[in-house]
Amino acid sequence: MSTLTVKMLGDSRVSVDGKPIIFQYKKVEAMFLYLSVKKHATRDELSNLLWIDKDEIIARKNLRNAIYELKKSFNGQGELLNINKTMIELNPGIEIITDVDDFLRDEVEVDGYHGSFLQNYSVKDADNFESWMLEKRDSLRNIYLKRLNQLVEIAKRENNLDGIEKYCKLIIKNDEFDENAHRNLLNCYKLQGKFNNGLELHDRLSGVLEKELAITPELETEKVFSEFLKDMHLRRKAENKKMFFYGRKKELLIIDDNCQKFIDGSGEAKSILIKGEMGIGKTWLKNKLIHNFAGKDVYLFENDCYQFEKEHRLNAWKHITFCLLQAAKNDQVRIPFNPSQEVRLEDFIDLMNHDNFEYLILTLLNTLSEKKKIVISFEDIHWMNESSISLLISMLSRIDSQRVMFVFTCRNEVVHSLEKFYIFIKKYNKLEPIMLCRYTKNEVEGFIHKARPNTIVSKEVLDRIYAETEGNTFFLAEYMNALNSKKDINVMTAKMQDIIGSKFLDMSKEEKKIFEITSLFDNGAPLFVFTELLQKDELDILDIIEGLENRCILEESNNSNSLSVQFTHRKLREFQYMNLTHVRKSVLHNKVAQLLENRLGNDSRNIDAYYQIAYHFKNANNLVDFLRYKIKILNINLDFSHERFPVLHFENKFYNQFEFDDKKIKKKIQELKEILENIKAAGGETLDVLQLEMSVLHIEGRYMIRRGAYDEGLGCIRNLMEIAQDVASREFIIEACKQTLLYCIQTNYTDMMMKYINYGYEQVREQKELVNIWELKRFEAIYYTMTGDHLTAEGLITECLELLNRPARNSNQYVLHTAACYDEMGGIKKSRGELTEALHYYEKAIRLCEQRNVWISISLFYTHAGEIAYWLGKYAIAKKYFEKALGVYSRIKYNAGQPIAEGYMSLLLLKEGNYKSALRYLLKADRNANILRIPKEQGTVLRIQCKFRLMMESNLELYEVFKDYLHQSFECYAQESLTMLKLAKEDYQISLLEGLS
């Protein structure tokens, strides 16, 4: 039997077995919802409910039509209604589940209350229905609030702070004027140490009451808040006293000197202003200053300023005034007037105008300072309002600085209310400013060693702590606590969250959106992202950002060519990002990725943008696009290390910064395969997924072939070819052909080369784009060189050069293909024994690369030129080329030609008598030749071993160095070398080998 579900708490929804019911018009739905709650109603009741403004006959007619439409809406669900002449009821035989019934049935249920009854629901021309709906809404809401209050009381008895917080928040969400819930939540925050949450809560309550009802919070609420502030002050004071501190010697010297002058009158003393960012140690330094007056005959008064006080006139001075009055009373100092005991100080001050209040403070200071010197401390004066700042300036200008000293702490933010204050102190030199900066990396190391003198902290941990804290004192102290408690130092503590949260209090919606977007970026959010996502004018965005820069929350970033902004501390970003919901993170990251992708357009040169786009797609959980960009990035890297002569898509300086770590490449390929499997498991093998799979197979296949794992590599390439043929992807068919041909070249296996060359030609012609034609011609030329047809090979290379030297191709992009043709021509000349001509072409390839500042593949050209120079007896030139080649080879693994360069270096060192270095190079050559197993390389190294083995018989010193390595006979090495050289058709080297016999 079907189940009818009616949801009325929150937005209404009616469904049968999960499928929504669509009503013909609103009053039909309203009638059904009414019956869902009441279960039955008379005809007159329904007529009056929905058509009170109509004539009785018309109302009854409308009711009949509504009943008809209601039945149609549930067509096929059986008899929904039981109807007689006077009564209409829902059929008791039909299973109807309503969230209202569920909520009322369970007397402690609160989780099922998803919102107000029929939230945002209205019916036109149905005042009686509206009245019933509102009455029912209030009734259910009151039940809900009563239950929540009961749960709060239970949680209080059980000291369940999480429960108190949860249920109080729900009460306030539904009744923002409920001060009892606010008081309970304030007490809860006090016990949890969430002081900034409490300040925000009270500030919001005061604002709502003032705006909506023009009243202030109840006295009981203010009493609770006063206790909250007192506890916060005492706890933070205790924490500051326990707080470990380090350094600040220069600042302490300034403070101690100034305090001494003030105490003994030995010089001109000034008031002190300690500035710095949140958590930098301003309070600790202020407490050190206050400590200088311990036991001294001075009046000492302290007050903390809070953000919520900005709206209250002279609020920052009330506590100080009370303390001054109390001191005057205790010491029987007569003042012009004093409030009676019956008058509250707050009322007394509020009744006074600014001038009278100023006169009172000035009189108190002058009178009391005649008896004892006075020190007044104001913490966080950036929260002072303009009236309090104005009074402060007046006091500084009129009191005797040798009798009254002020001590201030202030964040290094641009606060407009303080502008006059700063102008004043600069003009009249009334203050000694002390700016606290972040610790340097060396100072952080000193901080850690002093905090943990018996613990050795590794460089890795030190680097991580410095990166996480950026030298901020508070964060350093928290990390020290985590280390001492053996906790994870990557976790943001509750105290961190509370302190950081204070930075984000009282933010506008626009500012919060700026924070959200900025938190998505590791290294600065570009300005265009804000303008595009928020659809605001650039100047409007800059105004908001400037305000946040003034508050030292955001700063300009230097990580981009365009204007970008980032958080002033990474922990601010971490806090903001962790408070974004998972859904919001995903949506925002995806929008940013798409925006960056659209801005990229057809520009394939900006690999930094690829990394950014991949990062955002990953965090958006968009695996398909994430994998797409991971493939792009890895392909760019592997084009340089795995392609002998890649097409250059980037500026040459970009190539020159690459170095290749084989372990990292293997790890990245494995990551691609895992992401691909996850995509397949989630969405199956669509055409887009097959495209990604072909890309992954191509990357893995060429990597395996490059490192000599031929079976695995060819397996990947065969799979690539099969999929490419199935989906008719000529691009990947050509790539599969190319990788197979590279395998044939490396292994000197010519039997199937022409098959893949011709198949490649066929695909290129069907593409009607001859972009790859010269590559195939060069492969064909290599085939003929390998099979001994040098004349045909030379003709094909000449054709390639003609194609590449056309204006459309004569650019840096194809420089390596041109250089490769010169290199192949050099090989043809070498095979004919024309060594001088061969060296000419090799050097031509080298010059072309050096002129364009391209080092990718130049190592092979250096090696070939060095080999010919050696054969020609030009040993100094040969050594120069080999050294250059080995310098490049050291940056890339699995290099064709590397064993040859190392082998010939061993011969050159042999000539120089440096036998130990010669052995080291020959060992490298032997090891590397057996990785790719290229016959020419193996044969060359074996021939060089023959030369060494032969010379060992007549050179005792050489014998002693090489005896443990070359322990086989000369004939054994010669036979193995001849086999490989014949396979490689290296006729000239065969003749050299025969000359050794």
Side-chain angles (χ1 to χ4, degrees), residues 622-668:
N622 183 342
L623 292 183
V624 171
D625 287 320
F626 171 53
L627 179 58
R628 183 161 55 88
Y629 275 91
K630 287 278 285 185
I631 288 168
K632 283 175 181 279
I633 293 165
L634 191 54
N635 260 326
I636 291 166
N637 283 268
L638 300 189
D639 275 350
F640 306 145
S641 62
H642 290 181
E643 294 292 332
R644 292 180 72 191
F645 312 109
V647 175
L648 304 185
H649 294 289
F650 297 83
E651 299 298 327
N652 296 326
K653 63 181 180 182
F654 176 80
Y655 290 99
N656 297 341
Q657 69 187 12
F658 271 99
E659 295 193 22
F660 306 97
D661 185 319
D662 187 56
K663 288 182 180 178
K664 288 182 180 178
I665 290 173
K666 287 170 70 174
K667 184 179 178 182
K668 288 180 183 296

Short mmCIF file of all heavy atoms in Angstrom, two decimals, residues 622-668:
data_model
loop_
_atom_site.label_atom_id
_atom_site.label_comp_id
_atom_site.label_asym_id
_atom_site.label_seq_id
_atom_site.Cartn_x
_atom_site.Cartn_y
_atom_site.Cartn_z
N ASN A 622 35.27 17.66 -7.71
CA ASN A 622 34.99 17.46 -9.13
C ASN A 622 36.13 16.63 -9.70
O ASN A 622 37.10 17.16 -10.25
CB ASN A 622 34.89 18.83 -9.83
CG ASN A 622 34.51 18.71 -11.29
OD1 ASN A 622 34.64 17.65 -11.90
ND2 ASN A 622 34.07 19.81 -11.87
N LEU A 623 36.03 15.30 -9.55
CA LEU A 623 37.15 14.42 -9.86
C LEU A 623 37.48 14.39 -11.34
O LEU A 623 38.65 14.27 -11.71
CB LEU A 623 36.84 13.00 -9.37
CG LEU A 623 36.78 12.82 -7.85
CD1 LEU A 623 36.55 11.35 -7.51
CD2 LEU A 623 38.05 13.31 -7.19
N VAL A 624 36.47 14.50 -12.19
CA VAL A 624 36.72 14.43 -13.64
C VAL A 624 37.61 15.59 -14.08
O VAL A 624 38.64 15.39 -14.75
CB VAL A 624 35.39 14.43 -14.42
CG1 VAL A 624 35.65 14.58 -15.92
CG2 VAL A 624 34.62 13.15 -14.15
N ASP A 625 37.23 16.80 -13.71
CA ASP A 625 38.03 17.96 -14.12
C ASP A 625 39.35 18.03 -13.36
O ASP A 625 40.36 18.50 -13.89
CB ASP A 625 37.23 19.25 -13.92
CG ASP A 625 36.13 19.40 -14.97
OD1 ASP A 625 36.39 19.07 -16.14
OD2 ASP A 625 35.02 19.83 -14.62
N PHE A 626 39.35 17.55 -12.12
CA PHE A 626 40.60 17.50 -11.36
C PHE A 626 41.60 16.59 -12.07
O PHE A 626 42.76 16.94 -12.27
CB PHE A 626 40.33 16.99 -9.95
CG PHE A 626 41.56 16.68 -9.14
CD1 PHE A 626 42.56 17.63 -8.99
CD2 PHE A 626 41.71 15.44 -8.52
CE1 PHE A 626 43.70 17.34 -8.24
CE2 PHE A 626 42.83 15.16 -7.78
CZ PHE A 626 43.83 16.11 -7.64
N LEU A 627 41.13 15.40 -12.48
CA LEU A 627 42.01 14.46 -13.18
C LEU A 627 42.47 15.04 -14.52
O LEU A 627 43.63 14.88 -14.91
CB LEU A 627 41.29 13.13 -13.40
CG LEU A 627 42.08 12.05 -14.15
CD1 LEU A 627 43.38 11.73 -13.43
CD2 LEU A 627 41.24 10.78 -14.30
N ARG A 628 41.57 15.74 -15.18
CA ARG A 628 41.92 16.34 -16.48
C ARG A 628 43.12 17.27 -16.35
O ARG A 628 44.04 17.24 -17.17
CB ARG A 628 40.70 17.09 -17.03
CG ARG A 628 40.88 17.70 -18.39
CD ARG A 628 39.52 18.00 -19.02
NE ARG A 628 38.70 18.84 -18.18
CZ ARG A 628 38.73 20.18 -18.21
NH1 ARG A 628 39.57 20.79 -19.03
NH2 ARG A 628 37.95 20.88 -17.43
N TYR A 629 43.12 18.08 -15.29
CA TYR A 629 44.23 19.03 -15.11
C TYR A 629 45.46 18.35 -14.51
O TYR A 629 46.60 18.77 -14.78
CB TYR A 629 43.78 20.22 -14.27
CG TYR A 629 43.13 21.26 -15.15
CD1 TYR A 629 41.77 21.24 -15.39
CD2 TYR A 629 43.89 22.22 -15.81
CE1 TYR A 629 41.17 22.16 -16.24
CE2 TYR A 629 43.31 23.14 -16.65
CZ TYR A 629 41.95 23.11 -16.87
OH TYR A 629 41.38 24.03 -17.72
N LYS A 630 45.27 17.32 -13.70
CA LYS A 630 46.43 16.56 -13.21
C LYS A 630 47.18 15.94 -14.39
O LYS A 630 48.42 15.91 -14.40
CB LYS A 630 45.96 15.46 -12.26
CG LYS A 630 45.50 15.94 -10.90
CD LYS A 630 46.66 16.18 -9.95
CE LYS A 630 47.23 14.88 -9.44
NZ LYS A 630 48.29 15.10 -8.43
N ILE A 631 46.41 15.47 -15.36
CA ILE A 631 47.02 14.87 -16.55
C ILE A 631 47.77 15.93 -17.35
O ILE A 631 48.90 15.70 -17.81
CB ILE A 631 45.94 14.19 -17.42
CG1 ILE A 631 45.44 12.92 -16.74
CG2 ILE A 631 46.46 13.88 -18.81
CD1 ILE A 631 44.18 12.33 -17.36
N LYS A 632 47.15 17.10 -17.51
CA LYS A 632 47.82 18.19 -18.24
C LYS A 632 49.17 18.52 -17.60
O LYS A 632 50.17 18.68 -18.29
CB LYS A 632 46.93 19.45 -18.24
CG LYS A 632 45.76 19.44 -19.21
CD LYS A 632 44.92 20.70 -18.99
CE LYS A 632 43.72 20.75 -19.91
NZ LYS A 632 44.07 21.22 -21.26
N ILE A 633 49.15 18.65 -16.27
CA ILE A 633 50.37 19.04 -15.55
C ILE A 633 51.45 17.98 -15.70
O ILE A 633 52.61 18.28 -16.00
CB ILE A 633 50.06 19.28 -14.06
CG1 ILE A 633 49.16 20.52 -13.91
CG2 ILE A 633 51.33 19.45 -13.25
CD1 ILE A 633 48.50 20.63 -12.54
N LEU A 634 51.08 16.71 -15.49
CA LEU A 634 52.07 15.64 -15.58
C LEU A 634 52.56 15.48 -17.01
O LEU A 634 53.75 15.22 -17.25
CB LEU A 634 51.48 14.33 -15.07
CG LEU A 634 52.48 13.18 -14.87
CD1 LEU A 634 53.64 13.61 -13.99
CD2 LEU A 634 51.78 11.96 -14.28
N ASN A 635 51.68 15.68 -17.98
CA ASN A 635 52.09 15.60 -19.38
C ASN A 635 53.16 16.63 -19.72
O ASN A 635 54.10 16.35 -20.46
CB ASN A 635 50.89 15.80 -20.30
CG ASN A 635 50.35 14.48 -20.83
OD1 ASN A 635 51.11 13.55 -21.06
ND2 ASN A 635 49.06 14.40 -21.02
N ILE A 636 52.99 17.84 -19.17
CA ILE A 636 53.98 18.90 -19.43
C ILE A 636 55.34 18.48 -18.88
O ILE A 636 56.37 18.62 -19.54
CB ILE A 636 53.53 20.23 -18.80
CG1 ILE A 636 52.32 20.77 -19.55
CG2 ILE A 636 54.65 21.26 -18.81
CD1 ILE A 636 51.59 21.89 -18.84
N ASN A 637 55.35 17.93 -17.67
CA ASN A 637 56.60 17.46 -17.08
C ASN A 637 57.21 16.34 -17.92
O ASN A 637 58.40 16.35 -18.21
CB ASN A 637 56.35 16.94 -15.66
CG ASN A 637 56.19 18.05 -14.65
OD1 ASN A 637 57.15 18.47 -14.02
ND2 ASN A 637 54.97 18.54 -14.51
N LEU A 638 56.38 15.37 -18.30
CA LEU A 638 56.89 14.19 -18.98
C LEU A 638 57.24 14.46 -20.43
O LEU A 638 58.02 13.73 -21.03
CB LEU A 638 55.89 13.03 -18.87
CG LEU A 638 55.56 12.60 -17.43
CD1 LEU A 638 54.75 11.32 -17.45
CD2 LEU A 638 56.81 12.41 -16.61
N ASP A 639 56.65 15.50 -21.01
CA ASP A 639 57.04 15.87 -22.38
C ASP A 639 58.54 16.13 -22.43
O ASP A 639 59.21 15.84 -23.42
CB ASP A 639 56.29 17.13 -22.83
CG ASP A 639 54.93 16.80 -23.39
OD1 ASP A 639 54.66 15.60 -23.61
OD2 ASP A 639 54.13 17.72 -23.59
N PHE A 640 59.07 16.70 -21.34
CA PHE A 640 60.48 17.05 -21.33
C PHE A 640 61.38 15.85 -21.03
O PHE A 640 62.44 15.70 -21.60
CB PHE A 640 60.75 18.13 -20.27
CG PHE A 640 59.87 19.33 -20.43
CD1 PHE A 640 59.42 20.02 -19.32
CD2 PHE A 640 59.50 19.77 -21.68
CE1 PHE A 640 58.61 21.13 -19.47
CE2 PHE A 640 58.69 20.87 -21.83
CZ PHE A 640 58.24 21.54 -20.73
N SER A 641 60.91 15.02 -20.10
CA SER A 641 61.78 13.92 -19.69
C SER A 641 61.55 12.64 -20.50
O SER A 641 62.43 11.81 -20.57
CB SER A 641 61.56 13.61 -18.20
OG SER A 641 60.25 13.21 -17.96
N HIS A 642 60.37 12.49 -21.12
CA HIS A 642 60.05 11.23 -21.81
C HIS A 642 60.02 11.36 -23.32
O HIS A 642 60.10 10.36 -24.02
CB HIS A 642 58.71 10.69 -21.32
CG HIS A 642 58.77 10.20 -19.91
ND1 HIS A 642 57.69 9.67 -19.28
CD2 HIS A 642 59.79 10.15 -19.02
CE1 HIS A 642 58.02 9.31 -18.05
NE2 HIS A 642 59.29 9.62 -17.88
N GLU A 643 59.84 12.57 -23.84
CA GLU A 643 59.89 12.77 -25.28
C GLU A 643 61.30 13.18 -25.66
O GLU A 643 61.87 14.08 -25.05
CB GLU A 643 58.90 13.87 -25.71
CG GLU A 643 57.45 13.50 -25.49
CD GLU A 643 56.98 12.39 -26.40
OE1 GLU A 643 57.53 12.25 -27.51
OE2 GLU A 643 56.07 11.65 -26.02
N ARG A 644 61.87 12.52 -26.65
CA ARG A 644 63.25 12.88 -27.03
C ARG A 644 63.30 14.31 -27.55
O ARG A 644 64.21 15.07 -27.22
CB ARG A 644 63.75 11.93 -28.11
CG ARG A 644 63.96 10.51 -27.63
CD ARG A 644 64.45 9.61 -28.73
NE ARG A 644 65.82 9.90 -29.07
CZ ARG A 644 66.44 9.40 -30.14
NH1 ARG A 644 65.75 8.63 -30.98
NH2 ARG A 644 67.68 9.68 -30.39
N PHE A 645 62.29 14.72 -28.32
CA PHE A 645 62.28 16.07 -28.89
C PHE A 645 60.86 16.63 -28.85
O PHE A 645 60.15 16.61 -29.84
CB PHE A 645 62.81 16.04 -30.34
CG PHE A 645 64.08 15.26 -30.49
CD1 PHE A 645 64.10 14.04 -31.13
CD2 PHE A 645 65.25 15.75 -29.94
CE1 PHE A 645 65.27 13.32 -31.24
CE2 PHE A 645 66.44 15.03 -30.05
CZ PHE A 645 66.45 13.80 -30.70
N PRO A 646 60.41 17.13 -27.69
CA PRO A 646 59.03 17.59 -27.57
C PRO A 646 58.78 18.90 -28.30
O PRO A 646 59.70 19.67 -28.55
CB PRO A 646 58.87 17.80 -26.05
CG PRO A 646 60.24 18.11 -25.58
CD PRO A 646 61.17 17.29 -26.44
N VAL A 647 57.49 19.14 -28.63
CA VAL A 647 57.07 20.45 -29.13
C VAL A 647 57.03 21.38 -27.91
O VAL A 647 56.48 21.03 -26.87
CB VAL A 647 55.67 20.37 -29.78
CG1 VAL A 647 55.19 21.76 -30.20
CG2 VAL A 647 55.73 19.45 -30.99
N LEU A 648 57.61 22.57 -28.04
CA LEU A 648 57.70 23.48 -26.90
C LEU A 648 56.49 24.40 -26.88
O LEU A 648 56.27 25.17 -27.79
CB LEU A 648 58.99 24.33 -27.01
CG LEU A 648 60.30 23.53 -27.12
CD1 LEU A 648 61.47 24.48 -27.09
CD2 LEU A 648 60.41 22.54 -25.99
N HIS A 649 55.73 24.35 -25.78
CA HIS A 649 54.56 25.20 -25.63
C HIS A 649 54.82 26.34 -24.64
O HIS A 649 53.96 27.15 -24.41
CB HIS A 649 53.37 24.38 -25.14
CG HIS A 649 52.90 23.37 -26.15
ND1 HIS A 649 52.26 23.74 -27.30
CD2 HIS A 649 53.02 22.03 -26.17
CE1 HIS A 649 51.96 22.64 -28.00
NE2 HIS A 649 52.42 21.60 -27.33
N PHE A 650 56.00 26.38 -24.04
CA PHE A 650 56.27 27.37 -22.99
C PHE A 650 57.51 28.18 -23.35
O PHE A 650 58.27 27.84 -24.24
CB PHE A 650 56.50 26.66 -21.64
CG PHE A 650 55.30 25.93 -21.16
CD1 PHE A 650 55.03 24.64 -21.61
CD2 PHE A 650 54.43 26.52 -20.28
CE1 PHE A 650 53.91 23.97 -21.17
CE2 PHE A 650 53.31 25.85 -19.84
CZ PHE A 650 53.05 24.58 -20.28
N GLU A 651 57.71 29.25 -22.59
CA GLU A 651 58.94 30.02 -22.73
C GLU A 651 60.11 29.13 -22.30
O GLU A 651 60.00 28.31 -21.41
CB GLU A 651 58.89 31.27 -21.85
CG GLU A 651 57.75 32.23 -22.21
CD GLU A 651 57.88 32.77 -23.62
OE1 GLU A 651 59.02 32.95 -24.07
OE2 GLU A 651 56.86 33.00 -24.27
N ASN A 652 61.28 29.38 -22.91
CA ASN A 652 62.42 28.52 -22.64
C ASN A 652 62.84 28.54 -21.17
O ASN A 652 63.26 27.53 -20.61
CB ASN A 652 63.60 28.94 -23.51
CG ASN A 652 63.28 28.75 -24.98
OD1 ASN A 652 62.58 27.82 -25.33
ND2 ASN A 652 63.78 29.61 -25.83
N LYS A 653 62.69 29.71 -20.53
CA LYS A 653 63.07 29.81 -19.11
C LYS A 653 62.23 28.86 -18.26
O LYS A 653 62.66 28.40 -17.21
CB LYS A 653 62.94 31.24 -18.61
CG LYS A 653 61.52 31.78 -18.65
CD LYS A 653 61.48 33.22 -18.16
CE LYS A 653 60.06 33.76 -18.20
NZ LYS A 653 60.01 35.18 -17.77
N PHE A 654 61.02 28.55 -18.75
CA PHE A 654 60.13 27.65 -18.01
C PHE A 654 60.69 26.24 -18.03
O PHE A 654 60.72 25.55 -17.02
CB PHE A 654 58.74 27.68 -18.63
CG PHE A 654 57.79 26.71 -18.00
CD1 PHE A 654 57.18 27.03 -16.81
CD2 PHE A 654 57.54 25.48 -18.58
CE1 PHE A 654 56.31 26.14 -16.21
CE2 PHE A 654 56.67 24.60 -17.98
CZ PHE A 654 56.06 24.93 -16.81
N TYR A 655 61.18 25.79 -19.20
CA TYR A 655 61.75 24.46 -19.29
C TYR A 655 62.98 24.32 -18.40
O TYR A 655 63.21 23.30 -17.78
CB TYR A 655 62.20 24.17 -20.73
CG TYR A 655 61.08 24.00 -21.70
CD1 TYR A 655 60.70 25.04 -22.53
CD2 TYR A 655 60.41 22.80 -21.79
CE1 TYR A 655 59.67 24.88 -23.43
CE2 TYR A 655 59.38 22.62 -22.68
CZ TYR A 655 59.01 23.67 -23.50
OH TYR A 655 58.00 23.51 -24.38
N ASN A 656 63.75 25.40 -18.34
CA ASN A 656 65.04 25.31 -17.68
C ASN A 656 64.94 25.17 -16.17
O ASN A 656 65.93 24.94 -15.49
CB ASN A 656 65.87 26.55 -18.03
CG ASN A 656 66.17 26.59 -19.53
OD1 ASN A 656 66.07 25.58 -20.21
ND2 ASN A 656 66.52 27.76 -20.04
N GLN A 657 63.74 25.32 -15.61
CA GLN A 657 63.59 25.18 -14.17
C GLN A 657 63.17 23.77 -13.77
O GLN A 657 63.07 23.46 -12.60
CB GLN A 657 62.55 26.18 -13.65
CG GLN A 657 61.13 25.87 -14.08
CD GLN A 657 60.18 26.98 -13.69
OE1 GLN A 657 60.59 28.06 -13.29
NE2 GLN A 657 58.90 26.71 -13.81
N PHE A 658 62.95 22.89 -14.75
CA PHE A 658 62.47 21.55 -14.43
C PHE A 658 63.59 20.61 -14.03
O PHE A 658 64.65 20.59 -14.62
CB PHE A 658 61.74 20.93 -15.64
CG PHE A 658 60.28 21.24 -15.66
CD1 PHE A 658 59.80 22.26 -16.44
CD2 PHE A 658 59.41 20.53 -14.88
CE1 PHE A 658 58.46 22.56 -16.45
CE2 PHE A 658 58.06 20.83 -14.88
CZ PHE A 658 57.60 21.85 -15.67
N GLU A 659 63.32 19.87 -12.99
CA GLU A 659 64.15 18.73 -12.64
C GLU A 659 63.19 17.58 -12.40
O GLU A 659 62.05 17.78 -12.01
CB GLU A 659 65.01 19.01 -11.41
CG GLU A 659 66.03 20.12 -11.65
CD GLU A 659 67.08 20.18 -10.56
OE1 GLU A 659 67.27 19.18 -9.87
OE2 GLU A 659 67.70 21.24 -10.43
N PHE A 660 63.66 16.34 -12.61
CA PHE A 660 62.73 15.23 -12.64
C PHE A 660 63.11 14.17 -11.61
O PHE A 660 64.20 13.64 -11.63
CB PHE A 660 62.69 14.62 -14.05
CG PHE A 660 62.38 15.66 -15.09
CD1 PHE A 660 63.38 16.25 -15.81
CD2 PHE A 660 61.07 16.06 -15.30
CE1 PHE A 660 63.09 17.23 -16.75
CE2 PHE A 660 60.78 17.04 -16.23
CZ PHE A 660 61.79 17.62 -16.96
N ASP A 661 62.19 13.93 -10.70
CA ASP A 661 62.37 12.96 -9.62
C ASP A 661 61.54 11.74 -9.97
O ASP A 661 60.31 11.79 -10.03
CB ASP A 661 61.90 13.58 -8.31
CG ASP A 661 62.17 12.66 -7.13
OD1 ASP A 661 61.95 11.45 -7.26
OD2 ASP A 661 62.59 13.17 -6.08
N ASP A 662 62.22 10.62 -10.19
CA ASP A 662 61.54 9.42 -10.67
C ASP A 662 60.52 8.90 -9.67
O ASP A 662 59.43 8.48 -10.04
CB ASP A 662 62.59 8.34 -10.96
CG ASP A 662 61.97 7.12 -11.62
OD1 ASP A 662 61.34 7.28 -12.67
OD2 ASP A 662 62.10 6.02 -11.05
N LYS A 663 60.85 8.96 -8.37
CA LYS A 663 59.91 8.48 -7.36
C LYS A 663 58.63 9.30 -7.36
O LYS A 663 57.53 8.77 -7.21
CB LYS A 663 60.57 8.53 -5.98
CG LYS A 663 61.64 7.47 -5.78
CD LYS A 663 62.21 7.54 -4.37
CE LYS A 663 63.29 6.47 -4.17
NZ LYS A 663 63.90 6.55 -2.81
N LYS A 664 58.78 10.61 -7.53
CA LYS A 664 57.60 11.48 -7.56
C LYS A 664 56.73 11.19 -8.78
O LYS A 664 55.51 11.19 -8.69
CB LYS A 664 58.03 12.94 -7.56
CG LYS A 664 58.59 13.43 -6.23
CD LYS A 664 58.95 14.90 -6.28
CE LYS A 664 59.50 15.38 -4.94
NZ LYS A 664 59.90 16.80 -4.98
N ILE A 665 57.38 10.93 -9.91
CA ILE A 665 56.62 10.65 -11.13
C ILE A 665 55.83 9.34 -10.97
O ILE A 665 54.65 9.27 -11.33
CB ILE A 665 57.56 10.58 -12.36
CG1 ILE A 665 58.09 11.98 -12.67
CG2 ILE A 665 56.83 10.01 -13.57
CD1 ILE A 665 59.14 12.02 -13.75
N LYS A 666 56.45 8.33 -10.41
CA LYS A 666 55.75 7.05 -10.18
C LYS A 666 54.55 7.25 -9.26
O LYS A 666 53.47 6.71 -9.51
CB LYS A 666 56.72 6.04 -9.57
CG LYS A 666 57.75 5.51 -10.55
CD LYS A 666 58.83 4.70 -9.85
CE LYS A 666 58.33 3.39 -9.32
NZ LYS A 666 59.42 2.56 -8.76
N LYS A 667 54.77 8.06 -8.22
CA LYS A 667 53.69 8.33 -7.28
C LYS A 667 52.54 9.07 -7.96
O LYS A 667 51.36 8.77 -7.74
CB LYS A 667 54.23 9.15 -6.11
CG LYS A 667 53.20 9.41 -5.01
CD LYS A 667 53.81 10.21 -3.86
CE LYS A 667 52.77 10.50 -2.80
NZ LYS A 667 53.34 11.32 -1.70
N LYS A 668 52.88 10.04 -8.81
CA LYS A 668 51.85 10.83 -9.49
C LYS A 668 51.05 9.97 -10.46
O LYS A 668 49.83 10.14 -10.59
CB LYS A 668 52.49 12.01 -10.22
CG LYS A 668 53.00 13.11 -9.29
CD LYS A 668 53.63 14.25 -10.06
CE LYS A 668 54.21 15.29 -9.11
NZ LYS A 668 53.17 15.95 -8.30
#
